[in-house]
Amino acid sequence: MKHLLPRVDKYFKTNLHTHTTISDGKQTPQEVKEIYKAKGYQVLCLTDHNVMVDHSNMNEPDFLMLTGMELNYNHENYRPKFDGKTYHFNLIAKRPDNVWTPWNVRRTNPEALEYNKLMECENMDMRHEVDITNAMIAKANEKGFLVMYNHPTWSCHSYPDYASLKGLWGVEVRNTDCYNAGIDENNARVWRDLLNLRNRIYPVGSDDAHKVEDMGGSWIMAGAEKLAYSSVIDALEKGDFYMSCGPEIFDLTIEENVVKITCSDARSVSLNNHGRFTRRVAAEENKTLNEAEFDIAPFFEKADENSFIYLTVVAADGSYATTRPYYLKELK
Ligand SMILES: [Zn+2]
Ligand SMILES: [Zn+2]
């Protein structure tokens, strides 16, 4: 039997996207941290707009701060609070002291100006164009960052805006702030498109919280060996996590062509591949299930090295958890 999710003592509840008073958030970094701690999180990345900050002085034995920022730059057709395109990416540093940023943005917020002096700014060209964006992503990868593509729906993006992007680590499938604001920010389709364009890219749930009401709605559960910076980054890089806005996944295994998942109370579990090899197990009416099995022998008959599967657990309230893609060679 092979375990597809790591067997570790504990999965760390993680939010990779939040704002504070350093940019346009309502709460201070310390207040945001306390709120997430109280909600049972162990890992938090404060990603203020265009300000890369090392918050490791806020670490505690049971709480880890990741260094990051949200980079954003608009198309000339961008109109605030209305429409038009904009790129928003989270840059998550693989080392806590890495405060490089690809853009020197002068912000008016006094607190941000203070942090601005601590950043290493590169002053790259930042226009809303795919080639320029790919140059930025490549540079960010080279400089030691995971690059996450944020809220493509809110950003008014369609296929041409993301199909040619390369070097992305993850994409926001669910974003609490957008969801709570009523936007149809369910980006499983964007994620699938990027997978089918031969990108190994992971699905992320995050809050993008600017205020307390949006904190704790979507997250990832990271299967890191221990609560240490390098361990958590290692789990993120390898895809040793799943995203959720409700259900928990306890185990995911494969044995003799049968994929088995155990989870918290669910209405259904579905299995997808890149195309239309799909399966769904649903609980009886008004009941829930806690495990599901899928015989994927027919998948193996036609799969090639780019073929993958992923699973989605849906709870009675509609909340869901999604695994990363698992490719043929990992399943065999
Ligand atoms: Zn954003
Ligand atoms: Zn944001």
Side-chain angles (χ1 to χ4, degrees), residues 20 27-35 46 57-58 60:
T20 75
Q27 279 79 31
T28 64
Q30 196 61 41
E31 286 168 341
V32 172
K33 179 190 141 187
E34 292 306 324
I35 292 164
L46 300 181
N57 59 342
M58 287 162 59
E60 291 179 40

Side-chain angles (χ1 to χ4, degrees), residues 305-318:
E305 59 176 8
N306 298 306
S307 303
F308 57 83
I309 60 162
Y310 61 88
L311 288 91
T312 304
V313 176
V314 183
D317 62 1

